[in-house]
Amino acid sequence: MSPNDDWRPTCSVAALRARAGLLAEIRAFFAERDVMEVQVPTLGRTAVTEPQIESVRTAAGAFLQTSPEHYMKRLLAAGAPSIYQLGPVYRAGESGRLHRQEFTMLEWYRLGFDDQALMAEVSELIDRLLGPAAYERMTYESLVGTVEGEPSELDLAYAEAVAALGPVRCFVTDYPADQAALARVRGDGADSRAARFELIINGVEVANGYHELTDAAELRARMARDNQQRLDAGREPMAPDERLLAAMQAGLPDCAGVAIGVDRLAMLAAGASSLAEVMPFADL
């Protein structure tokens, strides 16, 4: 593309039509199940504390949200039914074939579901969008082994193991308790495991879901551990989201939630090799 053509979209009109159809199918899927669509802010006063995620901060000191999770959980605590959001999210420093600083996320929460029930619903959605196929299941340990080290080393080992899976749909389950993020933990001591799953399709990480933690005190403790890891790595700690913690203290109902990268789904549906082929403007 010549410099005079850099105004052009990075994907074709045909890819845009296919993407629009994918979004319409997603909305139809949830309408059939009476899951309500919501729109929460993409700009907020706080950011996530998770060590592996960096947020984009504005000049005014606010943060572009990496996920609608905190706002959506506040809605659930206030009495909302099962809900979903489909829209843009932001993560600093992410670029490449499968990464962009701004991308489209589908996130939904189902009241009364656990991680097992949610995996079944995720499978139904994926089959609708990509066509039916068999699903495998692997524990985190069977996929990665007993790797130890810093979070960055564990992330690298996981990414390499995922890429080596090949053309398969696979749910990864039973994450170590120290990788629970906002999932509840089952069991005690060495036998404890996070009620968390990820869906891998053809070597691409597509979905990350939890049977959600509802204990505000435990979440505060996890946020403190996250910030200690950030400090140990020479990175800025993030202030805890006190309004999320207050909502959980008021009572987050039993639920399971999952986030799916819609651009990656569109890429897989199109048989494309990069996000740029299915995003209208993938270059900054």
Side-chain angles (χ1 to χ4, degrees), residues 139-164:
T139 66
Y140 178 92
E141 186 172 336
S142 65
L143 176 65
V144 181
T146 55
V147 178
E148 296 183 358
E150 298 298 319
S152 60
E153 296 171 321
L154 295 174
D155 289 345
L156 178 60
Y158 182 79
E160 291 175 346
V162 163

Side-chain angles (χ1 to χ4, degrees), residues 133-235:
Y135 292 79
E136 297 183 6
R137 290 199 184 190
M138 298 180 66
T139 66
Y140 178 92
E141 186 172 336
S142 65
L143 176 65
V144 181
T146 55
V147 178
E148 296 183 358
E150 298 298 319
S152 60
E153 296 171 321
L154 295 174
D155 289 345
L156 178 60
Y158 182 79
E160 291 175 346
V162 163
L165 281 174
V168 66
R169 296 181 189 178
C170 180
F171 283 106
V172 181
T173 64
D174 297 312
Y175 280 70
D178 61 2
Q179 293 190 42
L182 275 71
R184 62 183 66 192
V185 172
R186 299 190 181 102
D188 298 308
D191 295 326
S192 61
R193 295 291 183 271
R196 174 185 175 187
F197 66 85
E198 287 202 5
L199 175 62
I200 313 301
I201 301 178
N202 300 345
V204 177
E205 297 171 57
V206 170
N208 184 28
Y210 311 140
H211 190 187
E212 299 292 344
L213 177 70
T214 57
D215 184 332
E218 171 59 21
L219 177 56
R220 186 179 292 278
R222 290 185 191 182
M223 288 176 168
R225 288 194 293 271
D226 286 348
N227 274 327
Q228 187 58 57
Q229 288 185 31
R230 296 179 74 90
L231 286 168
D232 291 345
R235 291 157 59 198

Side-chain angles (χ1 to χ4, degrees), residues 33-265:
R33 288 158 178 77
D34 197 28
V35 178
M36 184 173 72
E37 183 172 7
V38 297
Q39 291 182 315
V40 300
T42 58
L43 189 66
R45 67 171 71 167
T46 58
V48 296
T49 59
E50 292 176 62
Q52 71 274 25
I53 297 176
E54 284 298 331
S55 302
V56 177
R57 191 198 301 262
T58 70
F63 295 92
L64 292 172
Q65 298 299 286
T66 61
S67 160
E69 180 170 8
H70 290 197
Y71 284 110
M72 293 180 78
K73 286 181 173 176
R74 288 167 59 187
L75 290 178
L76 293 172
S82 294
I83 54 176
Y84 78 97
Q85 172 152 316
L86 185 56
V89 294
Y90 307 84
R91 297 189 181 183
E94 297 203 0
S95 63
R97 183 176 73 90
L98 297 175
H99 297 86
R100 286 292 182 271
Q101 289 193 88
E102 178 184 356
F103 57 98
T104 302
M105 179 178 286
L106 165 65
E107 187 155 332
W108 79 93
Y109 292 86
R110 290 293 246 141
L111 299 182
F113 275 38
D114 63 7
D115 48 319
Q116 301 300 316
L118 191 55
M119 277 190 278
E121 187 164 71
V122 169
S123 301
E124 292 172 5
L125 175 62
I126 296 300
D127 284 351
R128 180 161 176 163
L129 299 176
L130 302 185
Y135 292 79
E136 297 183 6
R137 290 199 184 190
M138 298 180 66
T139 66
Y140 178 92
E141 186 172 336
S142 65
L143 176 65
V144 181
T146 55
V147 178
E148 296 183 358
E150 298 298 319
S152 60
E153 296 171 321
L154 295 174
D155 289 345
L156 178 60
Y158 182 79
E160 291 175 346
V162 163
L165 281 174
V168 66
R169 296 181 189 178
C170 180
F171 283 106
V172 181
T173 64
D174 297 312
Y175 280 70
D178 61 2
Q179 293 190 42
L182 275 71
R184 62 183 66 192
V185 172
R186 299 190 181 102
D188 298 308
D191 295 326
S192 61
R193 295 291 183 271
R196 174 185 175 187
F197 66 85
E198 287 202 5
L199 175 62
I200 313 301
I201 301 178
N202 300 345
V204 177
E205 297 171 57
V206 170
N208 184 28
Y210 311 140
H211 190 187
E212 299 292 344
L213 177 70
T214 57
D215 184 332
E218 171 59 21
L219 177 56
R220 186 179 292 278
R222 290 185 191 182
M223 288 176 168
R225 288 194 293 271
D226 286 348
N227 274 327
Q228 187 58 57
Q229 288 185 31
R230 296 179 74 90
L231 286 168
D232 291 345
R235 291 157 59 198
E236 179 187 8
M238 296 288 108
D241 185 343
E242 295 293 345
R243 291 185 292 183
L244 171 64
L245 291 164
M248 290 183 67
Q249 185 68 42
L252 178 67
D254 181 40
C255 62
V258 62
I260 288 182
V262 173
D263 308 301
R264 292 185 179 187
L265 271 187

Side-chain angles (χ1 to χ4, degrees), residues 18-36:
R19 182 186 179 96
L22 187 86
L23 298 178
E25 282 296 323
I26 290 171
R27 289 191 162 96
F29 179 88
F30 289 111
E32 291 164 8
R33 288 158 178 77
D34 197 28
V35 178
M36 184 173 72

